[in-house]
Amino acid sequence: MATIAGLYHVEHWQYRAEGNANLVLCYAGPDPRFATTVLRLRKTDRAVDRREEDSGSTLISQQLNVAPVISKHDVSKESVFASKVIGLLLGEEFVEQLIAIALPPEFLVSLAASIEPLRPQSRLHKVIDCTQRVGFLALDHTQFIQRDPKEPSVAVEIKPKWGFLSKSTFILKEHGIKKRKCRFCMYQHHKLKAGQELSLSEYCPIDLFSTSQHLVQDSLDALVQTPQNNFRLFVNGEQQTVSREAIAQVIVGSDVESVQQNTTAPQRTHSTSLIEVLARVLSESPLLKRLGRLQQALDSLDVETIHRFYDQLADPVTTGLPEPTLEEFINTAEAFLDRTDLDAMMDEDQETFEAHNEASIGFGPEDNLEEVPDSLKMHFIREFLLSATLKDCSILITIRRAGQAEIRPSMAIQPAIRTDKSDVEFREIVHGVEVNGECYQYKITCIDLDPKKIVSVPMYMKKDRAIVDHYLAVVGDRERSCGSH
Ligand SMILES: O=P(O)(O)O[C@@H]1[C@@H](OP(=O)(O)O)[C@H](OP(=O)(O)O)[C@H](O)[C@H](OP(=O)(O)O)[C@H]1OP(=O)(O)O
Ligand SMILES: Nc1ncnc2c1ncn2[C@@H]1O[C@H](COP(=O)(O)OP(=O)(O)OP(=O)(O)O)[C@@H](O)[C@H]1O
């Protein structure tokens, strides 16, 4: 594992953001090698008595003392999973580069203590896992490698979730609502009941994934209106509160300082809004379409059949299945690509894509599923896990105004970082787009591409049931289908 001299200064790392599983810090020190990089660290359950909680180093040291020496999460292969497995499917250019680095425990302990007061209340049930020996250095995708002091970079993070309505013939008739309402829209009602959200989101992923520019634009407006955990805004790497006003002010290249200070200073008027530029980028880039089609094609059997396979294969004593290895995931992706023409898949209309997809499975719901060979059952469970990764990733789109000459695609390379093992360098591909006669540079990257666990399959099944049952109980089958306008 690489050790990088000069990286382990706690005071040089600032809290950036966190999800359920990882916490991310951005570099704010003087070393130019780490400018525009972030550090991604795994979290673990807070395993100490809450009465003793002091949100400081005692707490973290307790964790360090009680936890086993080897972290229960072996994350060392996760960077390879993202680049090799997801890279095969999505295209390597869209997958964020992660560099695995060694983590001294004292560094983690001090880091955890220093950022604790900055963390949101809702995430405090977990802490940085101070037993992890490996973390990841990545590019800060809210900014460009080459900063332009005159043109601020505006970044939007979208967690698009499930971009398809399942047409799987394996879905039981009584669960047919899944063919009309998307999982995100149905899940909103469950989240409301559970107190996870206070109001329903106006966003529907089916519109975002539609590739129709006006629907994409409408769904971006909906995300701004109800961002939940699906939309974040950054200006020069600083996270901003999402609001219509902030978005209107962040007309790319407008008076950014006033947005950062959240003032309502008079805006410079531009004909083009950030939403328009984003809609163009999302409709133009193949990423979103590829993501949606892959999510659907890799989930051809739906969790209902996947769970049946899981039950048929699971060891009755341990009631589990071994987690797939990296090699097994690679083989699964390769076998999927053998039966799928990725280029054709991108060009086909929805109906043809679904028909091809169904035909390529090799068996149907009318067949005796007990007779499907075990190896094939395992294969489809792993495909389903790949789909789960793609259903939970986020997309970062970073934009800045540019001159006409700068909108040709180009690659920027960060100065090499010398580790004790080798030199590593980060790269980014910068594209250009012209909207309403104004030129912009952008990059688009997928983050959070961790492998999902096979042990979660029964939980996925339970969640599916809970979401559908609750939706049918409170709404029924009376709303218009998602995607029908
Ligand atoms: O099942 P979902 O759709 O709720 O997804 C979970 C996410 O909830 P969301 O609905 O996006 O708010 C959830 O996000 P939040 O914690 O709600 O922000 C995680 O991303 C979770 O992944 P993991 O278990 O940490 O690997 C996600 O779990 P997976 O289903 O991806 O395993
Ligand atoms: N390379 C990056 N550049 C900039 N910001 C990043 C980067 N990676 C992560 N982040 C920020 O940190 C947040 C948490 O990271 P990440 O999505 O990997 O966590 P997670 O726990 O896996 O998320 P989830 O709960 O969705 O599974 C992201 O939502 C994003 O705002």
Side-chain angles (χ1 to χ4, degrees):
M1 200 52 49
T3 304
I4 307 181
L7 188 88
Y8 307 106
H9 296 287
V10 172
E11 65 280 14
H12 293 163
W13 293 99
Q14 278 179 0
Y15 177 83
R16 162 60 66 79
E18 64 191 288
N20 181 44
N22 296 281
L23 188 146
V24 171
L25 303 116
C26 55
Y27 186 75
D31 193 330
R33 294 175 304 159
F34 308 126
T36 65
T37 63
V38 296
L39 190 57
R40 185 169 186 250
L41 303 172
R42 177 68 62 170
K43 301 194 297 185
T44 188
D45 288 330
R46 192 186 283 273
V48 293
D49 188 332
R50 289 201 162 259
R51 283 167 305 178
E52 291 170 15
E53 193 168 301
D54 65 0
S55 75
S57 56
T58 338
L59 165 78
I60 313 294
S61 308
Q62 278 169 346
Q63 186 208 341
L64 192 65
N65 289 334
V66 293
V69 176
I70 304 294
S71 167
K72 59 179 185 260
H73 306 287
D74 176 12
V75 296
S76 54
K77 288 192 172 163
E78 284 184 6
S79 60
V80 191
F81 174 84
S83 63
K84 287 277 180 301
V85 184
I86 302 298
L88 262 180
L89 299 165
L90 267 189
E92 271 195 66
E93 69 272 28
F94 295 118
V95 173
E96 82 164 329
Q97 245 180 302
L98 294 169
I99 294 177
I101 52 155
L103 293 169
E106 327 73 68
F107 171 66
L108 284 179
V109 171
S110 319
L111 203 56
S114 74
I115 54 135
E116 193 70 2
L118 304 169
R119 300 181 55 212
Q121 189 69 31
S122 60
R123 298 289 189 188
L124 291 181
H125 58 286
K126 289 193 178 180
V127 285
I128 290 180
D129 182 352
C130 290
T131 68
Q132 66 194 303
R133 294 292 169 266
V134 182
F136 296 104
L137 198 61
L139 264 190
D140 179 351
H141 283 295
T142 62
Q143 305 186 61
F144 292 95
I145 289 179
Q146 275 150 9
R147 293 188 193 200
D148 181 341
K150 295 190 300 298
E151 293 298 345
S153 57
V154 175
V156 159
E157 179 180 343
I158 301 173
K159 190 180 188 186
K161 302 298 292 187
W162 301 34
F164 65 97
L165 275 175
S166 183
K167 291 290 154 59
S168 174
T169 46
F170 290 84
I171 292 176
L172 294 176
K173 204 163 167 244
E174 57 268 37
H175 303 145
I177 189 73
K178 292 203 280 189
K179 299 184 177 183
R180 296 182 287 284
K181 290 304 287 186
C182 81
R183 200 250 196 188
F184 181 88
C185 289
M186 287 197 281
Y187 195 7
Q188 284 292 307
H189 294 271
H190 194 273
K191 285 188 168 185
L192 209 61
K193 177 188 80 164
Q196 252 176 289
E197 297 296 344
L198 296 174
S199 63
L200 296 177
S201 176
E202 292 181 15
Y203 164 67
C204 171
I206 307 303
D207 291 342
L208 184 75
F209 281 85
S210 69
T211 66
S212 141
Q213 184 146 349
H214 84 272
L215 288 179
V216 173
Q217 197 158 320
D218 286 352
S219 56
L220 289 167
D221 283 329
L223 281 167
V224 172
Q225 195 59 27
T226 44
Q228 296 192 355
N229 65 351
N230 305 101
F231 191 88
R232 286 176 173 171
L233 172 70
F234 301 85
V235 176
N236 284 337
E238 296 272 328
Q239 190 168 343
Q240 313 292 317
T241 306
V242 175
S243 67
R244 278 203 171 147
E245 295 68 37
I247 293 288
Q249 273 178 290
V250 187
I251 295 163
V252 184
S254 72
D255 182 1
V256 170
E257 268 172 33
S258 70
V259 178
Q260 282 178 332
Q261 291 154 18
N262 221 0
T263 67
T264 46
Q267 300 152 28
R268 270 185 3 211
T269 45
H270 280 290
S271 51
T272 307
S273 74
L274 174 63
I275 297 295
E276 264 180 286
V277 182
L278 280 172
R280 261 297 283 286
V281 168
L282 286 171
S283 315
E284 197 171 283
S285 165
L287 176 60
L288 207 51
K289 184 160 186 195
R290 209 173 281 177
L291 190 65
R293 293 241 148 146
L294 285 167
Q295 287 179 351
Q296 183 168 6
L298 289 160
D299 185 11
S300 306
L301 303 184
D302 188 81
V303 68
E304 295 178 15
T305 300
I306 293 299
H307 186 247
R308 278 178 69 187
F309 285 175
Y310 180 93
D311 266 353
Q312 288 163 10
L313 295 178
D315 183 317
V317 180
T318 60
T319 61
L321 283 174
E323 291 300 334
T325 62
L326 180 61
E327 290 65 34
E328 285 168 337
F329 270 134
I330 293 175
N331 292 340
T332 304
E334 283 173 347
F336 168 78
L337 292 175
D338 281 346
R339 72 170 166 95
T340 313
D341 181 341
L342 218 51
D343 293 331
M345 184 178 97
M346 290 292 290
D347 293 336
E348 286 164 346
D349 61 60
Q350 189 65 22
E351 229 168 274
T352 316
F353 158 67
E354 279 161 8
H356 277 161
N357 196 32
E358 196 184 323
S360 74
I361 297 171
F363 55 90
E366 66 288 352
D367 294 317
N368 180 358
L369 297 186
E370 298 272 352
E371 284 174 8
V372 173
D374 286 358
S375 58
L376 198 54
K377 288 179 182 162
M378 260 328 266
H379 170 83
F380 279 106
I381 295 176
R382 290 187 200 124
E383 277 198 7
F384 173 80
L385 294 179
L386 294 178
S387 176
T389 292
L390 298 175
K391 290 164 181 163
D392 195 42
C393 68
S394 295
I395 297 174
L396 265 169
I397 304 142
T398 316
I399 300 172
R400 71 176 166 213
R401 274 160 64 91
Q404 182 75 45
E406 293 165 311
I407 64 167
R408 274 191 305 273
S410 59
M411 183 186 285
I413 303 177
Q414 176 104 326
I417 301 175
R418 175 145 300 170
T419 77
D420 59 339
K421 299 260 187 319
S422 60
D423 285 359
V424 287
E425 58 185 24
F426 286 114
R427 292 150 187 264
E428 70 188 14
I429 297 176
V430 180
H431 302 271
V433 65
E434 199 176 319
V435 186
N436 300 333
E438 288 164 5
C439 300
Y440 302 91
Q441 285 184 313
Y442 74 87
K443 63 170 171 168
I444 181 163
T445 318
C446 243
I447 62 168
D448 193 6
L449 293 166
D450 297 336
K452 296 292 178 179
K453 300 250 183 282
I454 210 164
V455 70
S456 305
V457 169
M459 181 272 285
Y460 288 143
M461 181 67 229
K462 257 192 182 162
K463 213 167 183 173
D464 181 79
R465 279 283 60 78
I467 291 171
V468 171
D469 289 349
H470 182 68
Y471 182 78
L472 287 174
V474 299
V475 184
D477 194 0
R478 59 188 156 81
E479 286 191 342
R480 67 166 178 79
S481 303
C482 291
S484 66
H485 292 276

